[in-house]
Amino acid sequence: MNFGILLTIISFAATLITGYYYFIAAGGNEPALRIARRIYQVTFGIIVLSSFYFLYLILTHNFQYDYIYRYSSRSLPLGYLISAFWAGQEGSYLLWTLFISVIGFIFYRTAKQFESWSMIFVLLTQAFLLFLMIHKSPFEILPQTPPDGAGLNPLLQDPWMVIHPPILFLGYAAITIPFALALAALIKKDFNGWIKQALPWTLFSSITL
């Protein structure tokens, strides 16, 4: 099987398994909480690996991949070649998933009493994006390998294209945390304690967006 698609499927399965153990941990099961954290660390590593693998494929002009053929070419400068990562829908899904995974990795260490329930909602968001990538993957392969790519749309060949989408998707990913904390607070009926934890993430995501 295609290595990139395989990584996506494994990430999706590991995300669901992590969510399952966090659900068990929400009832006060400490061993389940430790297992959930370990599996999440593995899931995080796989998503980072798939992202770097995708970037490597772009930089080395692997035009047998449909996405890379459509959004890059040999003539693109390095900055625009990197921005081909998020030039299309499938690559944007992967970038968004990567940011959610990184933010979740930072967040779960400070979530305290809200960790189990809030991480369930973070993982559901991550699983949804991974599910989309299983059905519309940036790793789809063409029947034949073209000698060059179609190139980045001239309208997207602007310096802002290099920095604008990553900042935007970082904001999208960061706003997942206040959302998850709010839902966790509703379930736990703790309507005040979550605010202090949500405020830095809310400010960060608001400033970023």
CSV table of all heavy atoms in Angstrom, one decimal, residues 18-73:
chain,number,residue,atom,x,y,z
A,18,THR,N,-7.0,6.2,21.0
A,18,THR,CA,-6.6,7.2,22.1
A,18,THR,C,-7.9,7.8,22.7
A,18,THR,O,-8.0,7.9,23.9
A,18,THR,CB,-5.8,8.3,21.6
A,18,THR,OG1,-4.6,7.8,20.9
A,18,THR,CG2,-5.3,9.2,22.7
A,19,GLY,N,-8.9,8.1,21.9
A,19,GLY,CA,-10.1,8.7,22.3
A,19,GLY,C,-10.9,7.7,23.2
A,19,GLY,O,-11.5,8.0,24.2
A,20,TYR,N,-10.8,6.4,22.8
A,20,TYR,CA,-11.5,5.3,23.6
A,20,TYR,C,-10.9,5.3,25.0
A,20,TYR,O,-11.6,5.2,26.0
A,20,TYR,CB,-11.3,4.0,22.9
A,20,TYR,CG,-11.7,2.8,23.7
A,20,TYR,CD1,-13.1,2.5,24.0
A,20,TYR,CD2,-10.7,2.0,24.3
A,20,TYR,CE1,-13.4,1.4,24.8
A,20,TYR,CE2,-11.1,0.9,25.0
A,20,TYR,CZ,-12.4,0.6,25.3
A,20,TYR,OH,-12.8,-0.5,26.1
A,21,TYR,N,-9.5,5.3,25.1
A,21,TYR,CA,-8.9,5.2,26.4
A,21,TYR,C,-9.1,6.5,27.2
A,21,TYR,O,-9.3,6.4,28.5
A,21,TYR,CB,-7.4,4.9,26.3
A,21,TYR,CG,-7.1,3.4,26.1
A,21,TYR,CD1,-6.9,2.9,24.8
A,21,TYR,CD2,-7.2,2.6,27.2
A,21,TYR,CE1,-6.6,1.5,24.7
A,21,TYR,CE2,-6.9,1.2,27.0
A,21,TYR,CZ,-6.7,0.7,25.8
A,21,TYR,OH,-6.4,-0.7,25.6
A,22,TYR,N,-9.2,7.6,26.6
A,22,TYR,CA,-9.5,8.8,27.3
A,22,TYR,C,-11.0,8.8,27.8
A,22,TYR,O,-11.3,9.3,28.9
A,22,TYR,CB,-9.4,10.1,26.4
A,22,TYR,CG,-8.0,10.7,26.6
A,22,TYR,CD1,-7.1,10.9,25.5
A,22,TYR,CD2,-7.6,11.2,27.8
A,22,TYR,CE1,-5.9,11.5,25.7
A,22,TYR,CE2,-6.4,11.8,28.0
A,22,TYR,CZ,-5.5,12.0,26.9
A,22,TYR,OH,-4.3,12.6,27.1
A,23,PHE,N,-11.9,8.1,27.1
A,23,PHE,CA,-13.2,8.0,27.5
A,23,PHE,C,-13.3,7.1,28.8
A,23,PHE,O,-14.0,7.4,29.7
A,23,PHE,CB,-14.1,7.4,26.4
A,23,PHE,CG,-15.5,7.2,26.8
A,23,PHE,CD1,-16.4,8.3,26.8
A,23,PHE,CD2,-16.1,6.0,27.1
A,23,PHE,CE1,-17.7,8.2,27.2
A,23,PHE,CE2,-17.4,5.8,27.4
A,23,PHE,CZ,-18.2,6.9,27.5
A,24,ILE,N,-12.5,6.0,28.8
A,24,ILE,CA,-12.4,5.2,30.0
A,24,ILE,C,-11.8,5.9,31.1
A,24,ILE,O,-12.3,5.9,32.3
A,24,ILE,CB,-11.6,3.9,29.7
A,24,ILE,CG1,-12.3,3.0,28.7
A,24,ILE,CG2,-11.4,3.1,31.0
A,24,ILE,CD1,-11.5,1.8,28.2
A,25,ALA,N,-10.8,6.7,30.9
A,25,ALA,CA,-10.1,7.5,31.9
A,25,ALA,C,-11.0,8.6,32.5
A,25,ALA,O,-10.8,9.0,33.6
A,25,ALA,CB,-8.8,8.1,31.3
A,26,ALA,N,-12.0,9.0,31.7
A,26,ALA,CA,-12.9,10.1,32.2
A,26,ALA,C,-13.7,9.6,33.5
A,26,ALA,O,-14.1,10.4,34.3
A,26,ALA,CB,-13.9,10.5,31.1
A,27,GLY,N,-13.8,8.3,33.6
A,27,GLY,CA,-14.4,7.7,34.8
A,27,GLY,C,-13.5,7.6,36.0
A,27,GLY,O,-13.9,7.0,37.0
A,28,GLY,N,-12.3,8.1,35.9
A,28,GLY,CA,-11.3,8.0,37.0
A,28,GLY,C,-10.3,6.9,36.9
A,28,GLY,O,-9.6,6.6,37.9
A,29,ASN,N,-10.2,6.2,35.8
A,29,ASN,CA,-9.3,5.1,35.6
A,29,ASN,C,-7.9,5.6,35.2
A,29,ASN,O,-7.6,6.0,34.1
A,29,ASN,CB,-9.8,4.2,34.5
A,29,ASN,CG,-9.1,2.9,34.3
A,29,ASN,OD1,-7.9,2.8,34.4
A,29,ASN,ND2,-9.8,1.8,34.1
A,30,GLU,N,-7.0,5.6,36.2
A,30,GLU,CA,-5.7,6.1,36.0
A,30,GLU,C,-4.8,5.3,35.0
A,30,GLU,O,-4.1,5.9,34.2
A,30,GLU,CB,-4.9,6.2,37.4
A,30,GLU,CG,-5.3,7.4,38.2
A,30,GLU,CD,-5.0,8.7,37.6
A,30,GLU,OE1,-3.9,8.8,36.9
A,30,GLU,OE2,-5.8,9.7,37.7
A,31,PRO,N,-4.9,4.0,35.1
A,31,PRO,CA,-4.1,3.2,34.1
A,31,PRO,C,-4.5,3.6,32.6
A,31,PRO,O,-3.7,3.7,31.7
A,31,PRO,CB,-4.4,1.8,34.4
A,31,PRO,CG,-4.7,1.8,35.9
A,31,PRO,CD,-5.4,3.1,36.1
A,32,ALA,N,-5.8,3.7,32.4
A,32,ALA,CA,-6.3,4.1,31.1
A,32,ALA,C,-5.8,5.5,30.7
A,32,ALA,O,-5.5,5.7,29.5
A,32,ALA,CB,-7.9,4.1,31.1
A,33,LEU,N,-5.7,6.4,31.6
A,33,LEU,CA,-5.2,7.7,31.3
A,33,LEU,C,-3.8,7.6,30.9
A,33,LEU,O,-3.4,8.3,29.9
A,33,LEU,CB,-5.3,8.6,32.5
A,33,LEU,CG,-4.9,10.1,32.4
A,33,LEU,CD1,-5.7,10.8,31.3
A,33,LEU,CD2,-5.0,10.8,33.7
A,34,ARG,N,-3.0,6.8,31.5
A,34,ARG,CA,-1.5,6.7,31.1
A,34,ARG,C,-1.4,6.0,29.7
A,34,ARG,O,-0.6,6.4,28.9
A,34,ARG,CB,-0.8,5.8,32.2
A,34,ARG,CG,-0.6,6.6,33.5
A,34,ARG,CD,0.4,5.8,34.4
A,34,ARG,NE,-0.1,4.5,34.8
A,34,ARG,CZ,-0.8,4.4,36.0
A,34,ARG,NH1,-1.1,5.4,36.7
A,34,ARG,NH2,-1.2,3.2,36.3
A,35,ILE,N,-2.3,5.1,29.5
A,35,ILE,CA,-2.3,4.4,28.1
A,35,ILE,C,-2.7,5.4,27.1
A,35,ILE,O,-2.0,5.5,26.0
A,35,ILE,CB,-3.2,3.2,28.1
A,35,ILE,CG1,-2.7,2.1,29.0
A,35,ILE,CG2,-3.4,2.7,26.7
A,35,ILE,CD1,-3.7,0.9,29.2
A,36,ALA,N,-3.7,6.2,27.4
A,36,ALA,CA,-4.2,7.2,26.4
A,36,ALA,C,-3.0,8.2,26.1
A,36,ALA,O,-2.9,8.6,24.9
A,36,ALA,CB,-5.4,8.0,27.0
A,37,ARG,N,-2.3,8.7,27.1
A,37,ARG,CA,-1.2,9.6,26.8
A,37,ARG,C,-0.1,9.0,26.0
A,37,ARG,O,0.4,9.6,25.0
A,37,ARG,CB,-0.6,10.0,28.2
A,37,ARG,CG,-1.5,11.0,29.0
A,37,ARG,CD,-1.0,11.1,30.4
A,37,ARG,NE,-1.8,12.1,31.1
A,37,ARG,CZ,-1.7,12.3,32.4
A,37,ARG,NH1,-0.8,11.5,33.1
A,37,ARG,NH2,-2.4,13.1,33.1
A,38,ARG,N,0.2,7.7,26.2
A,38,ARG,CA,1.3,7.0,25.4
A,38,ARG,C,0.8,6.9,24.0
A,38,ARG,O,1.6,7.1,23.1
A,38,ARG,CB,1.6,5.7,26.1
A,38,ARG,CG,2.3,5.8,27.4
A,38,ARG,CD,2.9,4.4,27.8
A,38,ARG,NE,3.4,4.4,29.2
A,38,ARG,CZ,2.7,3.9,30.2
A,38,ARG,NH1,1.6,3.3,30.0
A,38,ARG,NH2,3.2,4.0,31.4
A,39,ILE,N,-0.4,6.4,23.8
A,39,ILE,CA,-0.9,6.2,22.4
A,39,ILE,C,-1.0,7.6,21.7
A,39,ILE,O,-0.6,7.7,20.5
A,39,ILE,CB,-2.2,5.5,22.4
A,39,ILE,CG1,-2.1,4.2,23.0
A,39,ILE,CG2,-2.7,5.4,20.9
A,39,ILE,CD1,-3.5,3.4,23.2
A,40,TYR,N,-1.3,8.6,22.4
A,40,TYR,CA,-1.4,10.0,21.8
A,40,TYR,C,0.0,10.4,21.3
A,40,TYR,O,0.1,11.0,20.3
A,40,TYR,CB,-2.0,11.0,22.7
A,40,TYR,CG,-2.2,12.3,22.0
A,40,TYR,CD1,-3.2,12.5,21.1
A,40,TYR,CD2,-1.3,13.4,22.2
A,40,TYR,CE1,-3.4,13.7,20.4
A,40,TYR,CE2,-1.4,14.6,21.5
A,40,TYR,CZ,-2.5,14.7,20.6
A,40,TYR,OH,-2.6,15.9,20.0
A,41,GLN,N,1.0,10.1,22.1
A,41,GLN,CA,2.4,10.5,21.8
A,41,GLN,C,2.8,9.8,20.5
A,41,GLN,O,3.4,10.3,19.6
A,41,GLN,CB,3.3,10.1,22.9
A,41,GLN,CG,3.1,11.0,24.1
A,41,GLN,CD,3.8,10.5,25.4
A,41,GLN,OE1,4.5,9.5,25.3
A,41,GLN,NE2,3.7,11.2,26.5
A,42,VAL,N,2.4,8.5,20.4
A,42,VAL,CA,2.7,7.7,19.2
A,42,VAL,C,1.9,8.3,18.0
A,42,VAL,O,2.5,8.5,16.9
A,42,VAL,CB,2.3,6.2,19.3
A,42,VAL,CG1,2.4,5.5,18.0
A,42,VAL,CG2,3.2,5.6,20.4
A,43,THR,N,0.6,8.7,18.2
A,43,THR,CA,-0.2,9.3,17.1
A,43,THR,C,0.4,10.6,16.7
A,43,THR,O,0.5,10.8,15.4
A,43,THR,CB,-1.6,9.5,17.6
A,43,THR,OG1,-2.1,8.3,18.2
A,43,THR,CG2,-2.5,10.0,16.5
A,44,PHE,N,0.9,11.4,17.6
A,44,PHE,CA,1.5,12.7,17.3
A,44,PHE,C,2.8,12.4,16.4
A,44,PHE,O,3.0,13.1,15.4
A,44,PHE,CB,1.9,13.4,18.6
A,44,PHE,CG,2.9,14.5,18.5
A,44,PHE,CD1,2.4,15.7,17.9
A,44,PHE,CD2,4.2,14.4,18.9
A,44,PHE,CE1,3.3,16.8,17.8
A,44,PHE,CE2,5.1,15.4,18.7
A,44,PHE,CZ,4.6,16.6,18.2
A,45,GLY,N,3.6,11.4,16.8
A,45,GLY,CA,4.8,11.1,16.0
A,45,GLY,C,4.5,10.7,14.6
A,45,GLY,O,5.1,11.1,13.7
A,46,ILE,N,3.4,9.9,14.4
A,46,ILE,CA,3.0,9.4,13.1
A,46,ILE,C,2.6,10.6,12.2
A,46,ILE,O,2.9,10.7,11.0
A,46,ILE,CB,1.9,8.3,13.2
A,46,ILE,CG1,2.5,7.1,13.9
A,46,ILE,CG2,1.5,7.9,11.8
A,46,ILE,CD1,1.4,6.1,14.3
A,47,ILE,N,1.8,11.5,12.8
A,47,ILE,CA,1.3,12.6,12.0
A,47,ILE,C,2.4,13.5,11.6
A,47,ILE,O,2.5,14.1,10.5
A,47,ILE,CB,0.2,13.4,12.8
A,47,ILE,CG1,-1.1,12.5,13.0
A,47,ILE,CG2,-0.1,14.7,12.2
A,47,ILE,CD1,-2.1,13.1,13.9
A,48,VAL,N,3.4,13.8,12.5
A,48,VAL,CA,4.6,14.6,12.2
A,48,VAL,C,5.4,13.9,11.1
A,48,VAL,O,5.8,14.5,10.1
A,48,VAL,CB,5.4,14.8,13.5
A,48,VAL,CG1,6.8,15.4,13.1
A,48,VAL,CG2,4.7,15.7,14.5
A,49,LEU,N,5.5,12.6,11.2
A,49,LEU,CA,6.2,11.8,10.2
A,49,LEU,C,5.6,11.9,8.8
A,49,LEU,O,6.2,12.2,7.8
A,49,LEU,CB,6.3,10.3,10.6
A,49,LEU,CG,6.9,9.4,9.6
A,49,LEU,CD1,8.4,9.8,9.2
A,49,LEU,CD2,6.8,7.9,10.1
A,50,SER,N,4.2,11.8,8.8
A,50,SER,CA,3.5,11.9,7.5
A,50,SER,C,3.6,13.3,6.9
A,50,SER,O,3.7,13.4,5.7
A,50,SER,CB,2.1,11.5,7.7
A,50,SER,OG,1.4,12.3,8.5
A,51,SER,N,3.7,14.3,7.7
A,51,SER,CA,3.8,15.7,7.3
A,51,SER,C,5.2,15.9,6.7
A,51,SER,O,5.3,16.5,5.6
A,51,SER,CB,3.5,16.7,8.4
A,51,SER,OG,2.2,16.5,8.9
A,52,PHE,N,6.2,15.5,7.3
A,52,PHE,CA,7.6,15.6,6.8
A,52,PHE,C,7.8,14.8,5.6
A,52,PHE,O,8.5,15.2,4.7
A,52,PHE,CB,8.6,15.3,7.9
A,52,PHE,CG,8.9,16.5,8.8
A,52,PHE,CD1,8.3,16.5,10.1
A,52,PHE,CD2,9.8,17.5,8.4
A,52,PHE,CE1,8.6,17.6,10.9
A,52,PHE,CE2,10.0,18.6,9.3
A,52,PHE,CZ,9.4,18.6,10.5
A,53,TYR,N,7.2,13.6,5.6
A,53,TYR,CA,7.3,12.7,4.4
A,53,TYR,C,6.6,13.4,3.2
A,53,TYR,O,7.2,13.4,2.1
A,53,TYR,CB,6.6,11.4,4.7
A,53,TYR,CG,6.5,10.5,3.5
A,53,TYR,CD1,7.7,10.0,2.9
A,53,TYR,CD2,5.3,10.0,3.0
A,53,TYR,CE1,7.6,9.1,1.8
A,53,TYR,CE2,5.2,9.2,1.9
A,53,TYR,CZ,6.4,8.7,1.3
A,53,TYR,OH,6.4,7.9,0.3
A,54,PHE,N,5.5,14.1,3.4
A,54,PHE,CA,4.8,14.8,2.3
A,54,PHE,C,5.6,15.9,1.8
A,54,PHE,O,5.7,16.2,0.6
A,54,PHE,CB,3.4,15.2,2.8
A,54,PHE,CG,2.6,15.9,1.7
A,54,PHE,CD1,2.3,15.3,0.6
A,54,PHE,CD2,2.1,17.2,1.9
A,54,PHE,CE1,1.5,15.9,-0.4
A,54,PHE,CE2,1.3,17.8,1.0
A,54,PHE,CZ,1.0,17.1,-0.2
A,55,LEU,N,6.2,16.7,2.7
A,55,LEU,CA,7.1,17.8,2.3
A,55,LEU,C,8.3,17.3,1.6
A,55,LEU,O,8.7,17.9,0.6
A,55,LEU,CB,7.5,18.6,3.6
A,55,LEU,CG,8.4,19.8,3.3
A,55,LEU,CD1,7.7,20.8,2.5
A,55,LEU,CD2,8.8,20.4,4.7
A,56,TYR,N,8.8,16.2,2.0
A,56,TYR,CA,10.0,15.6,1.3
A,56,TYR,C,9.6,15.2,-0.2
A,56,TYR,O,10.3,15.5,-1.1
A,56,TYR,CB,10.4,14.3,2.0
A,56,TYR,CG,11.4,13.5,1.2
A,56,TYR,CD1,12.7,13.8,1.0
A,56,TYR,CD2,10.9,12.3,0.6
A,56,TYR,CE1,13.6,13.0,0.3
A,56,TYR,CE2,11.7,11.5,-0.1
A,56,TYR,CZ,13.1,11.8,-0.3
A,56,TYR,OH,13.9,11.0,-1.0
A,57,LEU,N,8.4,14.7,-0.3
A,57,LEU,CA,7.9,14.3,-1.7
A,57,LEU,C,7.8,15.5,-2.6
A,57,LEU,O,8.1,15.5,-3.7
A,57,LEU,CB,6.6,13.6,-1.6
A,57,LEU,CG,6.6,12.2,-0.9
A,57,LEU,CD1,5.1,11.7,-0.8
A,57,LEU,CD2,7.4,11.2,-1.7
A,58,ILE,N,7.3,16.6,-2.0
A,58,ILE,CA,7.2,17.9,-2.7
A,58,ILE,C,8.5,18.4,-3.1
A,58,ILE,O,8.8,18.7,-4.3
A,58,ILE,CB,6.4,18.9,-1.9
A,58,ILE,CG1,4.9,18.5,-1.7
A,58,ILE,CG2,6.5,20.3,-2.6
A,58,ILE,CD1,4.2,19.4,-0.7
A,59,LEU,N,9.4,18.5,-2.2
A,59,LEU,CA,10.8,19.1,-2.5
A,59,LEU,C,11.6,18.2,-3.4
A,59,LEU,O,12.5,18.7,-4.1
A,59,LEU,CB,11.5,19.2,-1.1
A,59,LEU,CG,10.9,20.2,-0.1
A,59,LEU,CD1,11.7,20.3,1.1
A,59,LEU,CD2,10.8,21.6,-0.7
A,60,THR,N,11.3,16.9,-3.5
A,60,THR,CA,12.1,16.0,-4.4
A,60,THR,C,11.3,15.8,-5.7
A,60,THR,O,11.7,14.9,-6.5
A,60,THR,CB,12.4,14.7,-3.7
A,60,THR,OG1,11.2,14.1,-3.2
A,60,THR,CG2,13.4,14.9,-2.6
A,61,HIS,N,10.2,16.6,-6.0
A,61,HIS,CA,9.5,16.6,-7.2
A,61,HIS,C,9.0,15.2,-7.6
A,61,HIS,O,9.2,14.7,-8.7
A,61,HIS,CB,10.4,17.1,-8.4
A,61,HIS,CG,11.0,18.4,-8.1
A,61,HIS,ND1,10.3,19.5,-7.9
A,61,HIS,CD2,12.3,18.8,-8.0
A,61,HIS,CE1,11.1,20.6,-7.7
A,61,HIS,NE2,12.3,20.2,-7.7
A,62,ASN,N,8.2,14.6,-6.7
A,62,ASN,CA,7.6,13.3,-7.0
A,62,ASN,C,6.3,13.5,-7.6
A,62,ASN,O,5.2,13.5,-7.0
A,62,ASN,CB,7.5,12.5,-5.7
A,62,ASN,CG,8.7,11.9,-5.2
A,62,ASN,OD1,9.0,10.7,-5.5
A,62,ASN,ND2,9.5,12.7,-4.4
A,63,PHE,N,6.3,13.7,-8.9
A,63,PHE,CA,5.1,14.1,-9.7
A,63,PHE,C,4.2,12.9,-9.9
A,63,PHE,O,3.1,13.1,-10.6
A,63,PHE,CB,5.5,14.8,-11.0
A,63,PHE,CG,6.3,16.0,-10.8
A,63,PHE,CD1,7.5,16.2,-11.3
A,63,PHE,CD2,5.7,17.1,-10.1
A,63,PHE,CE1,8.3,17.4,-11.2
A,63,PHE,CE2,6.4,18.3,-9.9
A,63,PHE,CZ,7.7,18.4,-10.4
A,64,GLN,N,4.6,11.7,-9.5
A,64,GLN,CA,3.6,10.6,-9.6
A,64,GLN,C,2.4,10.8,-8.6
A,64,GLN,O,1.4,10.1,-8.8
A,64,GLN,CB,4.3,9.3,-9.4
A,64,GLN,CG,4.8,9.0,-8.0
A,64,GLN,CD,6.2,9.4,-7.8
A,64,GLN,OE1,6.7,10.4,-8.3
A,64,GLN,NE2,6.9,8.6,-7.0
A,65,TYR,N,2.6,11.7,-7.7
A,65,TYR,CA,1.5,12.0,-6.7
A,65,TYR,C,0.7,13.1,-7.4
A,65,TYR,O,1.2,14.2,-7.7
A,65,TYR,CB,2.1,12.4,-5.4
A,65,TYR,CG,2.7,11.3,-4.6
A,65,TYR,CD1,4.1,11.0,-4.8
A,65,TYR,CD2,2.0,10.5,-3.7
A,65,TYR,CE1,4.7,10.0,-4.1
A,65,TYR,CE2,2.6,9.5,-3.1
A,65,TYR,CZ,3.9,9.2,-3.2
A,65,TYR,OH,4.5,8.2,-2.6
A,66,ASP,N,-0.6,12.8,-7.5
A,66,ASP,CA,-1.5,13.7,-8.1
A,66,ASP,C,-1.5,15.1,-7.6
A,66,ASP,O,-1.4,16.1,-8.3
A,66,ASP,CB,-3.0,13.2,-8.1
A,66,ASP,CG,-4.0,14.1,-8.7
A,66,ASP,OD1,-3.8,14.4,-9.9
A,66,ASP,OD2,-5.0,14.5,-8.0
A,67,TYR,N,-1.5,15.2,-6.2
A,67,TYR,CA,-1.5,16.6,-5.6
A,67,TYR,C,-0.2,17.3,-5.9
A,67,TYR,O,-0.2,18.5,-6.2
A,67,TYR,CB,-1.6,16.4,-4.0
A,67,TYR,CG,-1.6,17.7,-3.3
A,67,TYR,CD1,-2.8,18.3,-2.9
A,67,TYR,CD2,-0.4,18.3,-2.9
A,67,TYR,CE1,-2.9,19.5,-2.2
A,67,TYR,CE2,-0.5,19.5,-2.2
A,67,TYR,CZ,-1.7,20.1,-1.8
A,67,TYR,OH,-1.7,21.3,-1.2
A,68,ILE,N,0.9,16.7,-5.9
A,68,ILE,CA,2.2,17.3,-6.1
A,68,ILE,C,2.3,17.7,-7.6
A,68,ILE,O,2.8,18.8,-7.9
A,68,ILE,CB,3.4,16.4,-5.7
A,68,ILE,CG1,3.4,16.1,-4.2
A,68,ILE,CG2,4.7,17.0,-6.2
A,68,ILE,CD1,4.3,15.1,-3.8
A,69,TYR,N,1.7,16.9,-8.5
A,69,TYR,CA,1.7,17.3,-9.9
A,69,TYR,C,0.9,18.6,-10.1
A,69,TYR,O,1.2,19.5,-10.9
A,69,TYR,CB,1.1,16.2,-10.7
A,69,TYR,CG,0.7,16.6,-12.1
A,69,TYR,CD1,1.6,16.8,-13.1
A,69,TYR,CD2,-0.7,16.8,-12.4
A,69,TYR,CE1,1.3,17.3,-14.4
A,69,TYR,CE2,-1.0,17.2,-13.7
A,69,TYR,CZ,-0.1,17.5,-14.6
A,69,TYR,OH,-0.5,17.9,-15.9
A,70,ARG,N,-0.3,18.6,-9.4
A,70,ARG,CA,-1.2,19.8,-9.6
A,70,ARG,C,-0.7,21.1,-9.0
A,70,ARG,O,-1.1,22.2,-9.5
A,70,ARG,CB,-2.6,19.4,-9.0
A,70,ARG,CG,-3.4,18.4,-9.9
A,70,ARG,CD,-4.8,18.2,-9.3
A,70,ARG,NE,-4.8,17.4,-8.1
A,70,ARG,CZ,-5.4,17.8,-7.0
A,70,ARG,NH1,-5.9,19.0,-6.8
A,70,ARG,NH2,-5.4,17.0,-5.9
A,71,TYR,N,0.1,21.0,-8.0
A,71,TYR,CA,0.4,22.3,-7.3
A,71,TYR,C,1.9,22.6,-7.2
A,71,TYR,O,2.3,23.6,-6.6
A,71,TYR,CB,-0.1,22.2,-5.8
A,71,TYR,CG,-1.6,22.2,-5.8
A,71,TYR,CD1,-2.3,21.0,-5.5
A,71,TYR,CD2,-2.4,23.3,-6.1
A,71,TYR,CE1,-3.7,20.9,-5.4
A,71,TYR,CE2,-3.7,23.2,-6.0
A,71,TYR,CZ,-4.4,22.1,-5.7
A,71,TYR,OH,-5.8,22.0,-5.7
A,72,SER,N,2.8,21.9,-7.9
A,72,SER,CA,4.2,22.2,-7.9
A,72,SER,C,4.8,22.0,-9.3
A,72,SER,O,4.2,21.3,-10.1
A,72,SER,CB,4.9,21.4,-6.8
A,72,SER,OG,5.1,20.1,-7.2
A,73,SER,N,6.0,22.4,-9.4
A,73,SER,CA,6.8,22.2,-10.7
A,73,SER,C,8.3,22.4,-10.3
A,73,SER,O,8.6,22.9,-9.3
A,73,SER,CB,6.4,23.2,-11.8
A,73,SER,OG,6.7,24.5,-11.5
